[in-house]
Amino acid sequence: MRRTDTHYHLDQVPDPLGLLHRCERDQLALITPSMNPASYRELLALQAKSSTILQVACGLHPESIHADEEIEEALNLARTAQAVGEVGLPGYERKVTKRDVQVFTKFCRVAADENKALIVHAVHDQAEPALEVMLDCGVRKAVFHWLKANARVASRIVACGYMVSVTPEVTYRKRDQDLLRLIPKSQLLLETDGPWEHQGPYQGKASIPHWIDDAAQYAAAVYGCSLSSWWEQHEQNVDRLFF
Ligand SMILES: [Zn+2]
């Protein structure tokens, strides 16, 4: 059965094609968000070589600063992309600016107008302001990728019908475990955010999509279902958001 890693930056690994073939062999599918237009083009070229990439999303990583021309180009490309992302509001590398909110609003409008899935990076204090922008723009389909937020904000996101994703860190990190318990199984997605290096048992290694199997085992135990029925649910969630 297909198992999808819903957030993998395949263009950021040294041998993307090699990893893609390993995923193909092991029945792992990928949703690949992009960092900028160059990253988007690279991912489209990889998708042309393998049906393992279900969708390539077009976005601008919000932690980086982008030139006006790059923003315009990404917005134009996003209109015809399969999905929109990764976009959102910065929280780790720098403080959010008015311009960040304006850029995020523009991407939300594209997702709303074209009824495409939006892959959102907005963590901690930025999750709720991002939610407000999405609701104002009428975004219907979105995932708060690797969400870190308090219970009140997480519950608001769920009540709005959006999805939330967790990574293999859910297997050992209490913060992510508490979050998962607030998310109904029809609104949870799994991802690695690879090749990001996770902590705990994953420390020191670039993440590979195969690690979502650990997160799946954990989710199945929490929801009290078998691993195969969890995967069935998860893949339905993937289809509902992205197709
Ligand atoms: Zn990412």
Side-chain angles (χ1 to χ4, degrees), residues 4-50:
T4 305
D5 181 344
T6 62
H7 196 111
Y8 196 89
H9 293 281
L10 188 64
D11 58 315
Q12 307 289 312
V13 303
D15 177 21
L17 214 48
L19 183 55
L20 202 53
H21 290 145
R22 278 172 69 194
C23 290
E24 213 162 50
R25 182 197 67 195
D26 300 327
Q27 289 184 284
L28 281 158
L30 306 177
I31 302 285
T32 58
S34 57
M35 317 288 275
N36 51 49
S39 155
Y40 176 64
R41 286 195 190 89
E42 203 174 322
L43 289 166
L44 282 181
L46 287 163
Q47 189 186 36
K49 294 179 183 152
S50 170

Side-chain angles (χ1 to χ4, degrees), residues 7 9 61 86 145 193:
H7 196 111
H9 293 281
H61 202 290
E86 157 170 11
H145 118 81
D193 199 17

Side-chain angles (χ1 to χ4, degrees), residues 25 35 45 56-57 84 87 94 114-115 132 138 141 144 150 154 166 172 186 203 211 214-215 217:
R25 182 197 67 195
M35 317 288 275
V56 176
V84 180
V87 293
R94 57 192 186 85
E114 310 286 337
N115 199 26
E132 300 295 355
K141 303 199 296 178
F144 278 78
N150 63 37
V166 296
Y172 76 94
S186 60
Q203 198 153 23
W211 294 356
D214 295 354
Q217 237 162 31

Side-chain angles (χ1 to χ4, degrees), residues 8 13 19 168 192-198 202 205-209 211:
Y8 196 89
V13 303
L19 183 55
T192 59
D193 199 17
W196 177 262
E197 284 186 21
H198 293 289
Y202 306 101
K205 282 175 269 178
S207 310
I208 53 171
W211 294 356

